[in-house]
């Protein structure tokens, strides 16, 4: 199944597939699959940890570059991550390098990433994080 899906997704550009996958995950969550995903991916035995006064539900975090603009925090939480490092966020929005700028190396099971720090800028991301925090607290 995974192989079939991967072969299909590899017909499209890696950057398009990144956003398509995350938006599909968001849609699934909105359609009520959130609980099922959480039960599949969130570790049954979370081992909380504290680093520099910050508390994390588990020790698996996602590095920066995947969710540059903090758009998919709820979806990434459903996949079980105990932390998401957003960004890189720059003081002003920037478009990054011209496309194509993300390249698959299928034989090496790797990607070359020359995105050029495309992001919506600190003001937009700050507002999004504020909203997310309020939503979480309610
Ligand atoms: C502060 C900071 C900002 C980063 N920003 C980006 C980024 O915008 N894009 C990116 O591809 N990687 C970025 N990285 C690097 C990734 O988070 C990650 O370290 C890198 O992909 C290597 O992953 P690995 O250590 O799991 O191999 C950043 C790392 C740090 C510490």
């Amino acid at each position: 199944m995974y192989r079939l899906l991967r072969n299909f997704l590899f017909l499209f550009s890696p950057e398009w597939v990144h956003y398509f996958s995350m938006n599909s995950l968001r849609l699934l969550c909105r359609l009520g699959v959130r609980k099922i995903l959480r039960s599949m991916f969130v570790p049954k035995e979370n081992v909380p940890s504290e680093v520099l006064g910050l508390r994390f539900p588990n020790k698996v975090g996602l590095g920066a570059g995947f969710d540059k603009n903090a758009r998919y925090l709820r979806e990434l939480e459903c996949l079980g991550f105990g932390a998401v490092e957003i960004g890189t966020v720059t003081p002003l929005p920037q478009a990054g390098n011209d496309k194509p700028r993300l390249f698959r190396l299928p034989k090496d099971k790797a990607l070359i990433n020359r995105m050029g720090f495309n992001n919506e800028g600190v003001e937009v991301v700050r507002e999004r994080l504020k909203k997310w925090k309020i939503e979480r607290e309610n």
Side-chain angles (χ1 to χ4, degrees):
M1 177 71 179
Y2 168 71
R3 223 170 247 269
L4 201 70
L5 188 62
R6 195 184 63 171
N7 287 344
F8 171 71
L9 292 175
F10 272 27
L11 297 174
F12 305 93
S13 87
E15 189 169 348
W16 184 86
V17 169
H18 174 79
Y19 290 107
F20 172 76
S21 308
M22 292 313 292
N23 289 331
S24 303
L25 184 62
R26 171 173 294 163
L27 185 66
L28 283 176
C29 286
R30 286 193 181 148
L31 292 174
V33 183
R34 188 181 304 279
K35 274 193 182 158
I36 300 172
L37 286 174
R38 285 187 67 88
S39 71
M40 284 166 68
F41 294 111
V42 174
K44 301 280 176 287
E45 290 172 32
N46 263 342
V47 184
S49 63
E50 193 168 324
V51 182
L52 301 173
L54 294 173
R55 268 181 289 128
F56 300 94
N58 66 59
K59 292 182 178 173
V60 181
L62 179 65
F66 191 92
D67 188 8
K68 290 173 176 290
N69 296 297
R71 282 181 170 273
Y72 301 106
L73 297 176
R74 295 192 76 182
E75 289 74 20
L76 292 168
E77 194 178 29
C78 279
L79 295 185
F81 288 106
V84 174
E85 183 186 41
I86 61 162
T88 291
V89 183
T90 50
L92 297 175
Q94 57 183 49
N97 293 328
D98 290 341
K99 294 178 188 172
R101 53 195 181 176
L102 192 57
F103 307 89
R104 291 189 186 101
L105 302 178
K107 274 190 187 161
D108 299 308
K109 298 184 177 168
L111 283 173
I112 292 180
N113 154 3
R114 293 188 195 131
M115 302 294 285
F117 299 114
N118 55 306
N119 75 99
E120 293 176 287
V122 76
E123 281 306 320
V124 170
V125 174
R126 187 176 69 158
E127 288 310 308
R128 193 166 290 140
L129 288 177
K130 262 195 209 167
K131 207 171 142 211
W132 179 74
K133 201 173 169 204
I134 293 167
E135 277 172 18
R136 260 181 85 96
E137 283 163 1
N138 295 323

